[in-house]
Amino acid sequence: RAKDTVNPIRNLVQNIDVKPNPNLTKIDLSVGDPTVYGNLKPPASALAALADAVLSGASNGYPPSFGTAAAREAVAEFLNR
């Protein structure tokens, strides 16, 4: 089955001929996990917030199907700009 699988994104980007910018360091995002090489490290504040959220137990299970109040308020605020 896998041999019959088509990846349209790969087909699209495989033939792009782009010259690299010599002033920038290349981060290869095409294969694997770029964090393995020390690129794209999340900020410590994001890691701490994630750990706090997981350890609090407040996010276990499914949220309401209509979204949490905080999420709905954030969307409304964004759309009313």
Side-chain angles (χ1 to χ4, degrees):
R1 272 177 60 148
K3 68 179 180 176
D4 297 326
T5 303
V6 176
N7 182 332
I9 301 299
R10 180 169 289 158
N11 290 343
L12 178 70
V13 300
Q14 207 164 12
N15 296 319
I16 294 177
D17 184 26
V18 178
K19 304 291 183 242
N21 182 335
N23 300 318
L24 298 175
T25 302
K26 178 182 172 187
I27 299 175
D28 188 356
L29 300 177
S30 63
V31 178
D33 180 357
T35 61
V36 169
Y37 304 105
N39 301 319
L40 305 175
K41 291 181 182 176
S45 59
L47 295 174
L50 180 60
D52 290 345
V54 170
L55 293 172
S56 76
S59 299
N60 295 345
Y62 291 104
S65 62
F66 48 84
T68 63
R72 293 194 316 272
E73 290 169 10
V75 170
E77 182 180 322
F78 177 80
L79 294 176
N80 286 318
R81 285 189 201 174

